[in-house]
Amino acid sequence: MSFVIAKQPIYDRGGNVFGYEVYLRSKNSSEKYPSEVPFSKAAYIVTDILVEYGIDRVSEGKKVILNVSLESLLNKSLEILPKDRVVFDLNPSEVPIGDTIYKKILEKIKDFKSKGSMFILNQSLYTSKYKDLINLSNIVEFYMKDVKREKVTGVKKYSKEVLISRIETDKEYRKAKELYADYFEGNYFSPPVVVKNAEIVPFLKVTLLRLMSSLSNAKSLKQIAEIISSDVGMAVKFLQFVNSAYFLRRKKIEDIQHAVSYIGLENLKKFVLLVALNEYLKLEKPQLWKKSLIRAHIAEELTKRHSPHLSEKAFLVGLFSLLDEILGVDIPSFLKDLNIDEEVVKAFTGENSSFKKILEISAQLEEAVNRDPEELDKVVSEISIGTNIPEIELVIITKEAKERAEKLIRI
C-alpha cells in the first residue's frame, strides 16, 4: 500500500509559520487517515516518508511536528530524524503502560530534548496523572471547541506555551488570541496540503530478510552492498536514506558499496530497522522490477569487458532504467535528488554516450530474452556485429542475468 503525507502550518502570534504538522494519508484518499493503520505505527511510516522525500522539502526550513503515541517514542526508528528539526506531539498510548515503561518514556524525552527536540502535549494528557510530562513539554495543545480560559491560565503557571488547534473561523481565531495562545492551527488558515510524490518506495520482502540476516553474519560491508544492489526498490530507499537530513555531509555517491561504507554499520542497522517496522509495503509492478534487475546485471557484465572500474556505475544505470515507469518520476531529476554520481545521471540525459549505449544494448537483450529464444538469437547477432563481443558470450551474459533476477524476485 502507498501512502502520502499532508502538512498543515502552525502560526505564532506574529503570523509567522512556526512549523508544519504532518499527517499520514492514503494515496487513494488524501483527505482521510488510512483506517487500516494503527496510530502507533503511523509515526514510523511518516518517518520513512520524511527520510525518503527529504525533511527540508516538506518543512520548507521550518520545524516538523510529528504526532506520536507515548510508547512510540521508545522505538529506535525515530532516532533517524534530526532532533533539532522535529517537534513531537505527544498523544495517549494505545496500550496500557506500566511504571517501568513510563519512566523509560520520560528518559527518552529528556534525551531528545538534550539534542534539540521540542514537545507538544496533547490536551488529553494535560492531567495531574501526567505531571512529569507537563513539566517536560514545551507546549500544551488544546482544541478550539474544548479550550477554557482557566486551562490556558493553568498552563501559563507552568511557564509553558499554548497551541490552540482546529480553528475554523475568524471569530474562533480572535477568541484564541484573546486567550493569549502562543500558536494557532486550523483550516481557517490553511487546510492540510498533500505533499506530492512523498510515497513509500516498494521493495522485495526477501531483500529485507536477507539484509536483516546479513547484519549479524556478513563478512564484509561489500556483501551487504550486494544485497541492497539486487533490489531497485531497496537501492532507491537506501540512497534516499543516505542523502537524508540525518547525515550532515553530502557527497556524490559512486555506487552502493560506497554509500554503505560512507554511513557505516550502525547507521545500516538503523536503516534496516526503519524499513522492517513498515509492514504495510507491498511489491508493485513485479515484472518491471525484474526487467530493471536483468538490465543491471547485463550492463555490469558488459562494462567489465572494457572498463571494469566503471562496472558498478553501469549496474546502477541498468537498475534505475525503469524508474519512470515504476515510480512515475523523471529519472535524471530523481537521481540528482538522490545525489547519484553525475556519470550515471548523464546516461539518462544522453551526455554519457558510453553508458547510454550500454543501457540501450542491455534493454535490447533484456526485452529479447523475455520474449523467445529466436528473438534473442536475432538481437544477439546484431549486437555482436556492432560490439565485437562473441554471440555465445552475449547469450550467456543475458541468460545468467535473467536467472539471477528470477532467483532474487522469485516470480
Side-chain angles (χ1 to χ4, degrees):
M1 183 176 294
S2 297
F3 300 102
V4 296
I5 52 177
K7 67 178 183 179
Q8 187 171 31
I10 293 177
Y11 293 92
D12 62 20
R13 287 189 68 85
N16 304 302
V17 175
F18 165 70
Y20 290 92
E21 185 167 7
V22 292
Y23 307 93
L24 184 68
R25 293 290 184 266
S26 171
K27 183 180 179 182
N28 298 322
S29 183
S30 60
E31 295 181 0
K32 296 181 180 180
Y33 179 86
S35 58
E36 72 275 16
V37 181
F39 181 74
S40 60
K41 291 189 178 292
Y44 312 148
I45 299 174
V46 172
T47 297
D48 196 2
I49 295 175
L50 286 174
V51 168
E52 287 187 4
Y53 194 62
I55 197 168
D56 287 327
R57 296 173 70 183
V58 174
S59 68
E60 302 175 30
K62 305 296 183 180
K63 300 278 189 182
V64 164
I65 292 83
L66 178 62
N67 286 279
V68 295
S69 57
L70 289 178
E71 77 277 16
S72 299
L73 277 178
L74 298 180
N75 198 287
K76 291 185 178 180
S77 68
L78 297 181
E79 294 179 7
I80 291 170
L81 295 169
K83 304 302 177 298
D84 60 337
R85 301 291 305 283
V86 179
V87 180
F88 293 99
D89 192 332
L90 300 177
N91 288 265
S93 173
E94 289 193 319
V95 296
I97 53 176
D99 291 341
T100 301
I101 298 299
Y102 184 61
K103 288 178 181 177
K104 288 183 178 180
I105 291 170
L106 295 177
E107 289 303 313
K108 180 60 67 175
I109 292 174
K110 292 175 184 177
D111 177 49
F112 280 8
K113 287 192 71 173
S114 70
K115 296 172 182 176
S117 292
M118 294 177 66
F119 287 85
I120 296 174
L121 190 73
N122 183 272
Q123 64 175 30
S124 56
L125 294 173
Y126 183 63
T127 69
S128 58
K129 178 181 177 181
Y130 296 109
K131 227 173 207 182
D132 292 323
L133 288 178
I134 296 172
N135 288 327
L136 288 172
S137 296
N138 304 92
I139 303 168
V140 177
E141 176 186 12
F142 295 110
Y143 303 146
M144 187 67 231
K145 67 181 181 65
D146 299 323
V147 68
K148 304 293 182 184
R149 185 175 298 276
E150 55 267 26
K151 288 185 178 180
V152 174
T153 302
V155 170
K156 296 290 185 177
K157 288 181 179 179
Y158 281 100
S159 299
K160 307 298 179 183
E161 294 182 303
V162 172
L163 161 66
I164 297 181
S165 61
R166 304 186 182 184
I167 298 173
E168 301 291 331
T169 65
D170 181 66
K171 182 179 179 180
E172 289 181 341
Y173 176 45
R174 284 188 276 110
K175 179 183 177 182
K177 292 192 77 171
E178 290 171 2
L179 291 174
Y180 295 101
D182 301 282
Y183 302 101
F184 312 87
E185 181 186 34
N187 291 338
Y188 168 69
F189 308 102
S190 172
V193 177
V194 171
V195 180
K196 295 181 179 179
N197 299 320
E199 61 180 280
I200 298 173
V201 179
F203 58 87
L204 299 174
K205 294 296 180 5
V206 67
T207 308
L208 177 58
L209 293 174
R210 293 173 66 218
L211 263 180
M212 294 173 72
S213 174
S214 70
L215 287 177
S216 59
N217 55 36
K219 294 180 180 179
S220 68
L221 290 178
K222 183 179 180 181
Q223 283 183 270
I224 298 176
E226 289 173 350
I227 294 172
I228 295 173
S229 298
S230 70
D231 183 337
V232 61
M234 187 65 77
V236 167
K237 181 179 285 291
F238 177 65
L239 290 170
Q240 288 171 326
F241 172 68
V242 173
N243 286 289
S244 70
Y246 183 70
F247 299 101
L248 298 178
R249 184 164 61 92
R250 294 176 65 87
K251 187 176 181 181
K252 290 295 181 184
I253 303 300
E254 297 177 358
D255 51 60
I256 299 295
Q257 186 175 340
H258 171 207
V260 168
S261 299
Y262 174 55
I263 70 169
L265 186 59
E266 286 305 309
N267 286 317
L268 264 174
K269 289 180 179 178
K270 290 179 181 177
F271 167 73
V272 172
L273 176 65
L274 177 64
V275 295
L277 283 167
N278 208 328
E279 62 191 61
Y280 296 98
L281 302 179
K282 68 177 182 180
L283 179 61
E284 298 173 1
K285 304 177 182 177
Q287 290 296 336
L288 291 180
W289 294 88
K290 186 177 80 169
K291 284 164 67 73
S292 68
L293 192 53
I294 293 173
R295 293 183 183 189
H297 287 304
I298 293 174
E300 181 182 37
E301 291 302 318
L302 290 177
T303 305
K304 282 181 179 178
R305 267 106 185 122
H306 58 82
S307 303
H309 63 291
L310 296 175
S311 61
E312 291 181 344
K313 292 182 182 180
F315 183 93
L316 291 183
V317 171
L319 191 67
F320 296 145
S321 63
L322 293 171
L323 284 181
D324 53 342
E325 296 181 55
I326 296 172
L327 297 178
V329 297
D330 176 71
I331 296 178
S333 299
F334 189 74
L335 295 184
K336 286 178 182 178
D337 284 344
L338 289 182
N339 213 20
I340 295 296
D341 186 271
E342 289 182 5
E343 294 307 310
V344 175
V345 177
K346 287 178 180 178
F348 299 98
T349 62
E351 297 174 82
N352 187 322
S353 57
S354 296
F355 275 164
K356 181 183 178 183
K357 185 64 177 177
I358 286 292
L359 179 56
E360 289 174 352
I361 293 173
S362 301
Q364 285 180 294
L365 291 171
E366 172 269 311
E367 290 171 1
V369 76
N370 281 322
R371 289 199 192 107
D372 57 64
E374 289 186 7
E375 179 70 17
L376 179 60
D377 289 340
K378 179 182 176 181
V379 171
V380 162
S381 177
E382 294 173 353
I383 292 175
S384 179
I385 295 173
T387 61
N388 292 320
I389 300 175
E391 291 185 27
I392 185 63
E393 194 169 335
L394 288 170
V395 170
I396 292 173
I397 288 173
T398 305
K399 288 187 175 181
E400 285 185 350
K402 183 179 181 182
E403 288 174 6
R404 292 172 71 182
E406 289 178 337
K407 182 179 179 181
L408 287 168
I409 294 183
R410 299 181 180 181
I411 293 177

